[in-house]
Amino acid sequence: MSLFPKNSRFLRFYEVFFVPLHGIKKELEMAKKKILFINQEIAPYVPDSDLSIMGRALPQTMQERNHEIRTFMPKWGNINERRGQLHEVIRLSGMNLIINDTDHPLIIKVASIPTARIQVYFIDNDDYFTKRQMATDEKGEDYSDNGERAIFFARGVLETVKKLRWIPDIIHCQGWMSAVVPLYVKTAFHDEPSFANTKVVTSLFAETLKKNLGQNFKKCLEYRDVKAEMLTSYDDNFDVTELNKLAIDYSDGVILADKDINATLRQHTIDKQIPLLDYHEDFGDAYETFYDQICPD
């Protein structure tokens, strides 16, 4: 029974203003988790690969399951900004990050994937990204400062999320480019309200870097509570295996995102007694259940 007489102006007012608000409230109440995806690659901005396809598919899948998401990737030099309709977000840009005793301006750009209804934030910098390709140069050689680029990317994402005033329940890292994020979340940023209770999940892919990150990488990692002496258990030259071990050690959960993952990394996760999800081709239900395991409601 209606509270108002049929066709009354009060009933019309209620239907126009309060019924839609009730629907919006209901949608908000149904939202499950806030998940921050930090991706090395996302299709269609870069060529298709296991990483780029998952970089798009996973956020889209979780958004369709009513999780609230944000997603980031580097603004690699091979990304066509005009075709992708990227534009700078002035209010988020302008910060300088000091890496290896040098100031590097942080530029934030954004674009949307219309078919997926996903907004993507891009971390940009002229020296590290705009004027470069991805992991390798035009001759197929690894960039000598890939470690610094990963550090800049990690810190750039975390600083931007703080500015967004958005508090993720879960941070899901995909690709070696995001491998230092777990370290920073659990140490340098652990007192930040944005990340104080955030759980970190790392996906491992069958990817590789040809060169190690160099003996200066540990020194470049230093920031706030992160000191080089904390990293003595890792090889001084820091190859991609050591980088993935670093990500594992500071994660709350690890996912094997490829069939052929370095057995050493799988065993390292088990030895550290960190929750592990083996490879699932049909990942939606498996990943969502794993999120619930790592971050119960």
Side-chain angles (χ1 to χ4, degrees):
M1 178 180 293
S2 172
L3 296 174
F4 308 106
K6 188 177 181 179
N7 296 326
S8 74
R9 61 178 180 174
F10 297 106
L11 177 59
R12 290 196 297 274
F13 179 84
Y14 177 81
E15 289 173 341
V16 169
F17 291 99
F18 287 95
V19 171
L21 287 174
H22 177 73
I24 293 171
K25 181 181 178 183
K26 187 175 181 181
E27 284 188 18
L28 291 173
E29 288 174 347
M30 288 173 63
K32 297 178 182 178
K33 288 182 171 59
K34 294 181 178 180
I35 308 173
L36 170 62
F37 293 100
I38 305 181
N39 304 283
Q40 181 173 306
E41 305 170 21
I42 300 175
Y45 299 108
V46 297
D48 284 356
S49 66
D50 289 343
L51 264 168
S52 68
I53 292 170
M54 182 61 86
R56 170 172 172 163
L58 181 55
Q60 182 176 354
T61 298
M62 293 305 155
Q63 181 169 266
E64 290 171 352
R65 290 168 179 246
N66 209 41
H67 296 285
E68 185 179 337
I69 71 160
R70 297 287 186 276
T71 185
F72 282 77
M73 72 172 289
K75 212 296 290 177
W76 302 111
N78 60 336
I79 294 175
N80 188 313
E81 294 195 35
R82 182 176 180 181
R83 187 183 305 145
Q85 299 184 356
L86 277 68
H87 63 272
E88 184 175 352
V89 185
I90 302 299
R91 69 182 180 88
L92 298 176
S93 300
M95 179 181 293
N96 278 4
L97 304 182
I98 300 175
I99 312 289
N100 199 18
D101 298 325
T102 303
D103 280 358
H104 298 278
L106 174 63
I107 302 168
I108 308 300
K109 296 177 179 176
V110 70
S112 296
I113 307 175
T115 55
R117 295 191 304 156
I118 291 175
Q119 188 177 63
V120 180
Y121 291 93
F122 295 84
I123 299 296
D124 200 4
N125 172 268
D126 285 348
D127 294 327
Y128 285 142
F129 299 114
T130 301
K131 299 176 182 177
R132 312 271 204 96
Q133 300 302 304
M134 297 170 69
T136 59
D137 60 21
E138 293 80 358
K139 297 180 180 179
E141 294 294 325
D142 285 4
Y143 289 109
S144 60
D145 61 351
N146 273 338
E148 289 185 33
R149 299 170 83 202
I151 293 168
F152 181 88
F153 177 60
R155 286 177 51 188
V157 171
L158 297 177
E159 293 291 353
T160 303
V161 172
K162 284 170 51 183
K163 284 189 176 183
L164 290 172
R165 299 184 182 278
W166 186 76
I167 302 175
D169 299 307
I170 294 173
I171 296 176
H172 193 150
C173 303
Q174 301 195 93
W176 65 263
M177 196 68 183
S178 64
V180 299
V181 170
L183 167 69
Y184 283 140
V185 170
K186 298 298 184 178
T187 55
F189 288 81
H190 74 286
D191 284 335
E192 297 282 358
S194 296
F195 309 111
N197 298 307
T198 300
K199 303 298 182 182
V200 182
V201 173
T202 291
S203 279
L204 301 178
F205 289 81
E207 55 173 338
T208 185
L209 294 171
K210 298 174 185 176
K211 296 180 180 179
N212 59 48
L213 301 181
Q215 295 188 3
N216 195 42
F217 178 63
K218 290 182 180 180
K219 186 66 177 175
C220 291
L221 273 173
E222 290 192 331
Y223 179 64
R224 293 183 179 175
D225 298 338
V226 179
K227 306 299 179 185
E229 51 266 27
M230 294 170 50
L231 309 171
T232 55
S233 62
Y234 304 97
D235 187 271
D236 285 341
N237 285 320
F238 249 101
D239 61 12
V240 71
T241 299
E242 291 298 288
L243 187 61
N244 281 322
K245 285 182 180 178
L246 178 70
I248 291 168
D249 291 347
Y250 288 90
S251 293
D252 298 289
V254 173
I255 295 174
L256 305 187
D258 272 336
K259 293 179 181 178
D260 301 316
I261 299 296
N262 185 333
T264 301
L265 296 176
R266 186 180 190 281
Q267 189 59 49
H268 183 78
T269 305
I270 294 171
D271 292 343
K272 293 286 184 175
Q273 298 184 328
I274 296 170
L276 174 69
L277 180 66
D278 280 312
Y279 175 76
H280 284 75
E281 186 170 349
D282 186 10
F283 61 85
D285 289 342
Y287 280 30
E288 191 170 37
T289 300
F290 194 62
Y291 290 156
D292 288 338
Q293 176 187 344
I294 300 302
C295 182
D297 292 331

